[in-house]
Amino acid sequence: MRRVSTPRSVAAGAVACLAVLALPLGSPAPATADPPSLTTTEFQVPVRYVAGCLSTVFTCWYLPPLTTVTPSATTDTPGRVTFTAKPPTPAYYSCLDVTVHWLNLTTGAAGTTALRRVPPDNSRRVPQDEWCRYVPSTAVTGSGTIAATADVGAVALWAYQILVTPGVGIIPVP
């Protein structure tokens, strides 16, 4: 007597039909919007300056180097920009605050924000990569194209600073 394999093919066909019918139904999870994209734009022109000490007590026996700070802007929320900056290069004692002036070219809104130095933790030895860091600052700029300039902060009594080139950046904000 010969065996017939009809039940196996019928079962396979039924599973295939169910799979095809289930595809249009999709998953029972609700649809969600994509999270806002995080976009970071470095300023196209970094801030460059020279800073040195002026003192009658301690004499400065060196020529200060040309220092570079590169600000950046991060947009993760519509109409808001978070400015920050990388530590200066070369790693030097002249860790100056950075002032960012921005203008929304679409709406005409303008403002200023400051990137302040993170106060050093003097309770322990500070590693060189933590010596000069900046606290991020968020500005409500509105959506559009933002033109920003950056320069170094106020002059200290014990030092001089000469701005060589201000930083410049163009930032698209959703």
Side-chain angles (χ1 to χ4, degrees):
M1 191 185 267
R2 189 169 173 227
R3 283 184 117 175
V4 180
S5 63
T6 308
R8 187 180 298 172
S9 66
V10 171
V15 169
C17 286
L18 286 175
V20 170
L21 291 174
L23 285 176
L25 298 177
S27 79
T32 59
D34 290 333
S37 62
L38 182 70
T39 305
T40 300
T41 306
E42 285 190 349
F43 278 35
Q44 289 82 7
V45 178
V47 179
R48 289 196 171 98
Y49 63 92
V50 175
C53 64
L54 294 173
S55 175
T56 56
V57 178
F58 300 108
T59 307
C60 300
W61 295 99
Y62 56 87
L63 292 173
L66 178 65
T67 304
T68 302
V69 175
T70 305
S72 63
T74 302
T75 58
D76 60 351
T77 305
R80 297 175 78 95
V81 176
T82 301
F83 294 101
T84 190
K86 292 181 178 178
T89 55
Y92 194 60
Y93 78 93
S94 62
C95 183
L96 303 175
D97 292 344
V98 176
T99 304
V100 178
H101 308 277
W102 57 267
L103 170 66
N104 187 324
L105 300 175
T106 307
T107 65
T112 300
T113 188
L115 302 176
R116 306 269 185 224
R117 177 183 182 191
V118 173
D121 179 9
N122 294 325
S123 66
R124 62 181 175 85
R125 183 180 169 124
V126 180
Q128 186 175 1
D129 62 333
E130 293 181 17
W131 194 32
C132 183
R133 293 178 297 146
Y134 292 96
V135 177
S137 178
T138 300
V140 179
T141 61
S143 297
T145 302
I146 306 298
T149 61
D151 57 24
V152 289
V155 177
L157 296 175
W158 54 269
Y160 67 90
Q161 60 195 40
I162 302 167
L163 180 66
V164 177
T165 58
V168 177
I170 303 295
I171 304 113
V173 179

